[in-house]
Amino acid sequence: MSIKFLLNGETVELTEGNPTVTLLDWLRETRHLTGTKEGCNEGDCGACSVMVTDASGAKALNACILFLPQLHGKAVRTVEGISGPDGALHPVQEAMVEHHGSQCGFCTPGFISSMAVAHREGRRDFDNVLAGNLCRCTGYAPIIRAAEAAAEQPVPDWVQDIAPEVSASALLPETSNELATWYLENPSGTLIAGSTDVGLWGTKQLRALDKIAFLHRCRDLQQIDDLGDTLRIGAGVTMAQLHAVLKDHHPSYAEMVRRYGSEQVRQAATIGGNI
């Protein structure tokens, strides 16, 4: 395993280890960044949400079902890194304090991560953005008010991550041709795109996986081509990408896709994996 990514602005390079260690376990057990919480450990509650940034922008993803190789060439910010290096609060953190958006606080780090992603990307559809984060005590009204209040504030410089340049890895094919070559040599191997399903093989079934290829760097599988009367959709297209395109072509199907999982799940899950 050879992977490289940014963690809260600092470069991390891992050259050995188990490729099916989740980001959540690694953060808490190896880096002692315990702000990211373990709730359901299956990608449903959002307590483990982190900000993950690549060339396509920032996304909120569930760290509990995100394997470390999936971060290769990306930037990660946990709740510890969403505040500034000098301790300055992010606008969404200030707004959560002002609007009393936290009670027991267990779910709050995940909410902060999702809110910070929405703030960075200029999104205002907060009911959608926060649908994958569960709060059992404060309720959503003050949290939504906090998100709305923070929306007008500028994006802090410290969350404007630029993902590092990386080299290819055997675990991480860059094209469908490279993937096909690997798969011919490893016909019983496991293919992992978003890991919204396979992630639970590890966290819930405790299965050991051997011979794995991670598909998220196969850009040629992530294209949507509008051919006029037909949409040609790559197997690696996420449900979030699919939703954005379907809104203009098939709005009723787009509405169904909007109800598929949560924001965090749609940003990771692929149409090929779903099929």
Side-chain angles (χ1 to χ4, degrees):
M1 181 173 76
S2 177
I3 61 174
K4 179 180 180 181
F5 59 94
L6 294 183
L7 174 63
N8 295 334
E10 298 182 2
T11 300
V12 172
E13 294 190 64
L14 303 176
T15 57
E16 58 184 25
N18 183 345
T20 58
V21 170
T22 65
L23 175 60
L24 175 65
D25 286 346
W26 182 80
L27 288 172
R28 294 181 60 85
E29 297 172 10
T30 303
R31 301 300 291 231
H32 308 295
L33 293 173
T34 55
T36 305
K37 304 302 183 186
E38 179 179 320
C40 65
N41 209 22
E42 56 187 38
D44 286 335
C45 73
C48 68
S49 298
V50 295
M51 176 189 290
V52 179
T53 305
D54 59 18
S56 65
K59 305 174 181 66
L61 296 176
N62 294 305
C64 69
I65 53 173
L66 193 63
F67 296 131
L68 288 175
Q70 293 175 271
L71 304 173
H72 189 53
K74 300 184 180 183
V76 180
R77 285 206 172 257
T78 66
V79 68
E80 292 90 348
I82 288 175
S83 57
D86 59 354
L89 294 182
H90 188 286
V92 301
Q93 294 173 314
E94 291 183 330
M96 283 284 273
V97 173
E98 182 178 348
H99 290 270
H100 307 287
S102 178
Q103 190 169 327
C104 85
F106 187 87
C107 66
T108 304
F111 270 95
I112 292 295
S113 295
S114 293
M115 293 165 71
V117 168
H119 183 264
R120 186 185 187 279
E121 298 299 302
R123 292 182 60 176
R124 304 296 180 89
D125 55 331
F126 300 120
D127 287 350
N128 289 328
V129 167
L130 299 176
N133 294 85
L134 304 185
C135 178
R136 293 293 187 234
C137 50
T138 306
Y140 285 86
I143 298 173
I144 295 293
R145 287 195 289 268
E148 292 171 341
E152 301 301 327
Q153 300 301 312
V155 177
D157 292 341
W158 63 81
V159 296
Q160 301 281 23
D161 288 313
I162 299 176
E165 293 290 331
V166 295
S167 57
S169 165
L171 284 172
L172 299 153
E174 300 278 334
T175 67
S176 56
N177 284 338
E178 289 182 17
L179 171 61
T181 299
W182 181 90
Y183 209 26
L184 283 171
E185 296 172 353
N186 301 275
S188 62
T190 299
L191 306 182
I192 300 178
S195 80
T196 53
D197 182 29
V198 177
L200 275 69
W201 296 3
T203 62
K204 296 300 180 181
Q205 299 178 12
L206 306 181
R207 289 167 58 177
L209 300 178
D210 188 25
K211 297 181 180 178
I212 301 168
F214 292 89
L215 311 189
H216 62 279
R217 295 186 63 81
C218 292
R219 305 301 182 200
D220 57 341
L221 294 179
Q222 300 168 16
Q223 306 302 314
I224 300 177
D225 298 318
D226 188 344
L227 305 179
D229 59 351
T230 303
L231 290 175
R232 183 163 58 198
I233 303 167
V237 168
T238 67
M239 302 306 289
Q241 293 170 315
L242 180 64
H243 177 257
V245 172
L246 288 178
K247 286 189 295 185
D248 295 332
H249 292 82
H250 302 285
S252 59
Y253 182 32
E255 176 60 18
M256 186 182 77
V257 172
R258 188 184 70 82
R259 295 173 178 272
Y260 178 104
S262 64
E263 175 71 15
Q264 292 93 320
V265 168
R266 290 193 299 273
Q267 290 288 359
T270 63
I271 188 168
N274 181 246
I275 292 173

